[in-house]
Amino acid sequence: MQEKASAMKKRWFVAGFALALLAAGAAAVRFSAPVQAALASRMIDRHMGENRDRLMTDDALRVVICGSGSPLPDPNAAESCVAVIAGGRIILSDVGSGSMRNLVSWPLPIGRVGDVLLTHFHSDHIADLPIANMQSWVDGRSAPLRVWGGPGVEAVVDGYNLAFAQDSSYRSGHHGEVLMPMRLAAMEARLVARADGAPLSGLEQAVIVDDGALKITAFAVEHPPVSPAYGYRIDYRGRSVTISGDTHATASVAEAAAGSDVLIHEAIDAPMVAELAEAAQRHGRDRLAKVLDDIQTYHATPADAREAGVAAGVRLVILTHLVPPIPPALGDTLRLRGLATRDPELRVARDGMVIELPIGSSDVHVGAVRR
Ligand SMILES: [Zn+2]
Ligand SMILES: [Zn+2]
């Protein structure tokens, strides 16, 4: 009995001592300037020494989700963005608001961003375009940023170039023409269209890059009244990913994705959006109720996305452009309810998700940008 009491006493003593140490540590961080400075130095050193080439190695096609959200504000997700890493290049498909903040905070050499594939010109897909241009320029991009898109891409690129011309001249003037040459400051528009200049439509596709190893194919999707509206398929050394862009259910996605390893497909949870619309109406928020009603017609549901993945024979479907925003702990389950999540595997995107497709293999690995 006495032994038990003394063991108990010892445990209390150890716990008390650990608590006192923790409190002393917290007080040192809160009140001691030298401790704060030492911690900051350590963080700076770790940040600067981070290996930014870990995801760049040429043994896989990699996909990084840089924005899984939509225009509805979501503290957990930036707006639309998918980064595809192949052959030492970073290709961005859309750059919605917040996506560049994600990308520059992750260990990635942003100067290797050479191409942006715009699916369409809704704000949640193009808002960070000038930031992608500026950040990749600062990080040493070696050619002007190529911005691919349907008819109208010239206006988007020209408009942003004009709006940011002064910013570029300040930066080049400040850091010098050698470090930040003005010839690399402005973006170049690359039109993706039919031979007659009209947007791709129906099941039309256009190969826009093909260097033997890397092939990028644009295809039409349906996001009415938005036109042009495209998706993109990227093939690299036998591995492949297809990105749907914004679309309601349409056969062109499965057609373009046939034989791809991964399909990244937009998905709106229609019942939840309908419930939101009803609640908005109930509370007198008529404008919001109308918007929430309208958006249901030009997006696909998780079931539509899954169906496209089954028809295309892909191994993995990733749901993205997540509407409405719900914290992942609850949202992932809700979005997948009632759906088979095998054959193909069905997962919900998250900012920072990395999908790795090793070359010479049929493996599909899903991880995170920070391990
Ligand atoms: Zn969108
Ligand atoms: Zn859209």
Side-chain angles (χ1 to χ4, degrees):
M1 192 68 185
Q2 214 170 17
E3 250 173 50
K4 215 171 164 187
S6 111
M8 190 85 120
K9 231 180 190 174
K10 204 167 158 191
R11 270 209 293 277
W12 275 111
F13 177 76
V14 170
F17 186 68
L19 269 178
L21 263 183
L22 270 177
V29 172
R30 175 80 176 82
F31 299 111
S32 163
V35 170
Q36 291 162 356
L39 277 175
S41 298
R42 219 173 124 185
M43 281 162 69
I44 288 167
D45 188 64
R46 191 187 298 170
H47 177 70
M48 286 299 170
E50 206 165 25
N51 177 8
R52 298 199 309 154
D53 292 325
R54 186 169 53 77
L55 296 173
M56 302 300 295
T57 52
D58 198 22
D59 53 351
L61 171 64
R62 292 185 180 85
V63 179
V64 180
I65 304 295
C66 30
S68 56
S70 76
L72 299 176
D74 187 343
N76 298 298
E79 293 176 351
S80 269
C81 178
V82 179
V84 179
I85 303 172
R89 297 164 66 161
I90 303 176
I91 299 147
L92 301 180
S93 178
D94 291 334
V95 271
S97 175
S99 60
M100 284 310 301
R101 189 175 283 252
N102 268 343
L103 284 165
V104 295
S105 69
W106 294 336
L108 283 168
I110 292 304
R112 307 255 205 107
V113 173
D115 300 270
V116 179
L117 314 173
L118 295 180
T119 60
H120 62 300
F121 311 129
H122 262 149
S123 62
D124 55 316
H125 298 256
I126 64 167
D128 268 4
L129 184 58
I131 314 302
N133 187 47
M134 185 272 286
Q135 292 284 10
S136 56
W137 185 41
V138 171
D139 200 51
R141 178 170 34 71
S142 59
L145 187 67
R146 294 172 291 270
V147 181
W148 305 82
V153 68
E154 306 90 338
V156 171
V157 166
D158 290 350
Y160 273 137
N161 279 339
L162 182 62
F164 282 76
Q166 291 168 100
D167 174 88
S168 306
S169 73
Y170 304 148
R171 291 182 197 280
S172 185
H174 187 194
H175 301 293
E177 179 66 18
V178 173
L179 199 72
M180 301 191 60
M182 282 304 290
R183 71 186 165 81
L184 303 181
M187 298 177 274
E188 286 181 5
R190 298 289 172 100
L191 178 64
V192 181
R194 291 187 345 206
D196 63 2
L200 302 176
S201 67
L203 296 180
E204 286 173 338
Q205 301 184 358
V207 175
I208 58 173
V209 171
D210 191 356
D211 67 8
L214 176 73
K215 183 176 168 191
I216 304 175
T217 308
F219 57 93
V221 295
E222 290 180 15
H223 190 42
V226 178
S227 175
Y230 294 165
Y232 293 93
R233 172 178 173 146
I234 294 152
D235 288 87
Y236 182 67
R237 295 172 60 200
R239 303 310 305 267
S240 167
V241 58
T242 300
I243 301 159
S244 74
D246 281 12
T247 183
H248 59 213
T250 170
S252 66
V253 175
E255 173 101 359
S260 256
D261 296 289
V262 180
L263 172 61
I264 316 261
H265 203 297
E266 72 121 288
I268 184 173
D269 192 304
M272 264 194 284
V273 174
E275 197 179 328
L276 275 174
E278 276 170 33
Q281 191 83 62
R282 236 183 4 257
H283 291 283
R285 300 182 67 180
D286 295 351
R287 290 182 65 89
L288 181 60
K290 164 89 169 91
V291 171
L292 289 166
D293 256 339
D294 290 345
I295 63 173
Q296 293 174 56
T297 58
Y298 69 175
H299 288 295
T301 63
D304 295 331
R306 185 180 190 281
E307 215 167 283
V310 171
V314 302
R315 311 266 314 275
L316 171 67
V317 177
I318 301 279
L319 305 179
T320 193
H321 200 279
L322 303 169
V323 181
I326 311 167
L330 176 64
D332 288 12
T333 315
L334 284 174
R335 288 179 223 284
L336 298 176
R337 67 190 183 277
L339 293 175
T341 54
R342 290 278 143 208
D343 302 320
E345 187 179 353
L346 188 59
R347 295 180 72 139
V348 179
R350 195 160 297 181
D351 288 18
M353 180 183 266
V354 176
I355 302 125
E356 192 166 272
L357 309 172
I359 305 297
S361 146
S362 59
D363 290 354
V364 176
H365 304 300
V366 180
V369 75
R370 290 205 187 278
R371 288 187 293 202

